Amino acid sequence: MTTERRAILSGSTFEEQIGYARAVVDGDWVHVSGTTGFDYATMTISDDVVEQAAQCLRNIEAALTEANCTLTDVVRVRYMLPDRADFEPCWPVLHRAFGAVRPAATMLMCGLADPRMKIEIEAYARRATA
């Protein structure tokens, strides 16, 4: 039995330069790469961590939509931030996205690839089976 494996691209220049996909659909699972607050249409990023978190979620939601699922299908999420003090201001945005979903979650404090990036979010979703 062969499962569907499909790459989902967002149009980010990073995907082409580095060689990865925004998300990979593998059967019922959708693996969303670490996603930052860049608006990929304009390749701009806000200075505000809360707006970056909101844009991360919009970017993740777009990938999930292309994979035929939604934020409600997310079962695991990882938040990565260079400054742990920036995490709590993001909680209301994260709660709006996941408060009813309650995925397993981890917050990591680490450096990110670009100093403008204040948060990166990675997600795993499981598509509903028919």
Side-chain angles (χ1 to χ4, degrees), residues 88-104:
E88 190 169 349
C90 296
W91 290 358
V93 170
L94 303 176
H95 187 268
R96 280 193 296 278
F98 298 120
V101 179
R102 304 282 178 129

Side-chain angles (χ1 to χ4, degrees), residues 6-81:
R6 174 172 60 98
I8 294 173
L9 304 176
S10 69
S12 163
T13 58
F14 300 126
E15 292 168 357
E16 184 62 33
Q17 292 169 346
I18 299 169
Y20 71 95
R22 171 63 39 224
V24 174
V25 176
D26 186 14
D28 293 337
W29 289 97
V30 182
H31 306 267
V32 182
S33 295
T35 303
T36 64
F38 271 94
D39 177 335
Y40 297 125
T42 62
M43 284 308 290
T44 58
I45 192 167
S46 171
D47 289 332
D48 179 64
V49 69
V50 175
E51 177 49 38
Q52 283 192 30
Q55 184 64 51
C56 288
L57 293 169
R58 287 190 292 272
N59 294 340
I60 290 168
E61 193 168 28
L64 291 173
T65 297
E66 193 169 330
N68 297 318
C69 59
T70 69
L71 290 173
T72 62
D73 297 308
V74 171
V75 296
R76 178 83 167 113
V77 63
R78 285 191 185 92
Y79 306 107
M80 294 157 276
L81 298 94

